[in-house]
Structure formats: structure tokens, C-alpha cells
Amino acid sequence: MAVEDISRAVLAFNLAGVTELVQKEIDAGTDIDTILNEALIGAMDEVGKRFSDGELYVPEMLMAAQTMKAGLALLKPHLTGDSARAKGTVVIGTVKGDLHDIGKNLVAMMLEGAGFNVVDLGVDVAAETFVQAAGDNGAGVVALSALLTTTMPAMEGTIKALQEAGLTVKIMVGGAPVTSGFADRIGAQGFSADAPGAVELARKLMAAQGGSS
Ligand code: B1M
């Protein structure tokens, strides 16, 4: 089946193959969520398992990530969300010490598709940078991503810095090791386990900020 071929191509770090196969599935009208969740994200889950089992090393994880990103780029125009638009600015980034950006990019893409103005600060973002960007851009929501248990504390530090700066932004957090309990403990206003959920959450938080339309 073609979706499995895409996963296999990601696991073989076959960037040209992924590009060709994803485009073929888009052209054939295959459900975009199926391509995203079953083929691309599914493949990255398998990469993670193989890394944990010592079958893959960091360079291979990186190659798989680059291959996945090529597929994701083709899906981007189709990840447009629905038409109920809640406008406002979301500042997003992966917290200090953390270089994982695929999930964060996906969340940013879907927020853009849903009509938000998105300021993406990238990876390894210091708390002060979030504070500066939130203030400069008049953000209604700040969205923090972390993929490592060791960088989750940087989320708490960032939230403290935003509060100490007196900014009234709503803060949402996410990433594989993050839970709603953790979000509550560190004073975030919301947690989402995935990108579509992040869009819904951003809408709610923005509305609470008075930024919806
Ligand atoms: Co890293 N890595 N990695 N890695 N890596 C993980 C996270 C790991 C679970 C692998 C494993 O051991 N099984 C493990 C973390 C263990 C832990 O902390 N408990 C790990 C490790 C250990 C490391 C290094 C320490 C390895 C080393 O050097 N020894 C190192 C750390 C570097 C650093 O950040 N300082 C490292 C490095 C890397 C690469 C650079 C090689 C590469 C990242 C490349 C890149 O992102 N540009 C990489 C990769 C690819 C992975 C795995 C395999 C895949 C991550 C991914 O992209 N998933 C990952 C294993 C895994 O997660 N299965 C692993 C696909 C992506 C779509 O999902 O990011 O979860 P995800 O995003 C989801 C949700 O979480 C959510 O929505 C997204 C879409 O549904 N979400 C949000 C994410 N952010 C959100 C924000 C929100 C809301 C939802 O609101 C704000």
C-alpha cells in the first residue's frame, strides 16, 4: 500500500522517494491526515523506537527528520484547517536546549492555515527571546514546544519570565513528553497532544484574550 511505501522511504532516508510518493498520494486524492499521521508521523515513531533500541543513531535520526520534512513541505498547502478563523498573533518556538522542530513546525503550519499570524522563533529559544517577541508582536498566545524530558523545565522558566515581564499572554505547551498535568503544574493555560488540537486550543485562548473575530 502506498502509505506504507512512504513510511518505508522515510525509514530508508530516501528523500526523492518520499517527495515522489507523497506527491503521488496528494494527486490521487488520498486523505491528507492519513498521509501525515500514518505515513510520516508513523515513520518518525518507528525511528524513535529504533533509536531507543540502539538500532539507529543520531545521524540517522537526523536524516529521517530531513526526509520527513520534505514530505511535510508538500502537505503544507493542504493543512489549511477549517474556515472558522480566530485571528491574532501566536509566538511559537522550541524551548532552550531543544533542537527538535518537526512537531513545532507542524503546529505552526496548521495555526497559519487557521488564520493566525504566526511568529516562529525556531529552536533552542531562550526565555528572554520569547518575552521580547511576545511584546514586540503584541502576541495573544505564546506556544512552547519541547521533545526532551531534560528541556521541559525550560518551559516553566519561560512561563515565569513571561509573567515577570508583566505580559498578559496566554501560554500553551506541547510536545511528546508533555502532559496536561505538567502544563497545569507549570502554570500554562493549555496543553495539546497534537497539531489539530493545538489549533483548537489557540482559538479558545485567543478568544479569552479578546483576540477572536
Ligand atoms: Co531526538 N529524541 N534527540 N532527535 N528524536 C526523541 C524526542 C526521543 C524520544 C527518541 C528516543 O529516545 N526514543 C529522545 C528523547 C528522550 C527523552 O527525553 N525522554 C530523543 C533524544 C534522546 C535526542 C538526543 C538527546 C539524542 C542524542 O544526542 N543522544 C538529541 C537531543 C538534541 C537536542 O534537542 N538538544 C536528539 C536529536 C534529534 C535529531 C536532531 C537527530 C532529530 C530532530 C530533528 C529535527 O527536529 N529537526 C531527532 C528526532 C527526529 C527524534 C524523533 C525520532 C522524532 C521526533 C519527531 O520529529 N516526531 C524522536 C522520537 C519520537 O518522538 N518518536 C526523538 C514527529 C513529530 C511530528 O512529532 O515532535 O512529537 P512531535 O510533535 C507532535 C506532538 O508532540 C505535538 O504536535 C506534533 C504533531 O502532532 N506537539 C505540540 C509538538 N509540539 C507542540 C506544541 C504545542 C502543541 C502540540 O503547543 C505549543
Side-chain angles (χ1 to χ4, degrees), residues 38-108:
E38 291 178 25
L40 296 175
I41 294 182
M44 293 313 280
D45 285 344
E46 181 58 27
V47 168
K49 274 189 207 110
R50 292 186 189 182
F51 177 77
S52 295
D53 293 345
E55 288 171 36
L56 289 183
Y57 297 93
V58 172
E60 286 135 333
M61 248 194 329
L62 196 52
M63 285 194 284
Q66 278 160 355
T67 309
M68 192 224 177
K69 278 183 177 182
L72 210 51
L74 294 173
L75 297 187
K76 184 174 178 179
H78 304 273
L79 295 170
T80 50
D82 64 37
S83 57
R85 299 196 156 202
K87 298 184 186 73
T89 296
V90 181
V91 164
I92 190 168
T94 304
V95 296
K96 185 78 188 155
D98 201 318
L99 303 176
H100 296 84
D101 70 353
I102 296 177
K104 182 266 298 166
N105 291 347
L106 198 50
V107 172

Side-chain angles (χ1 to χ4, degrees), residues 10 39 61 71 79 121 124 139 146-147 167 186 191 194-195:
V10 172
M61 248 194 329
L79 295 170
L121 302 177
D124 190 21
L147 261 286
L167 294 170
I186 63 172
F191 155 78
D194 58 23

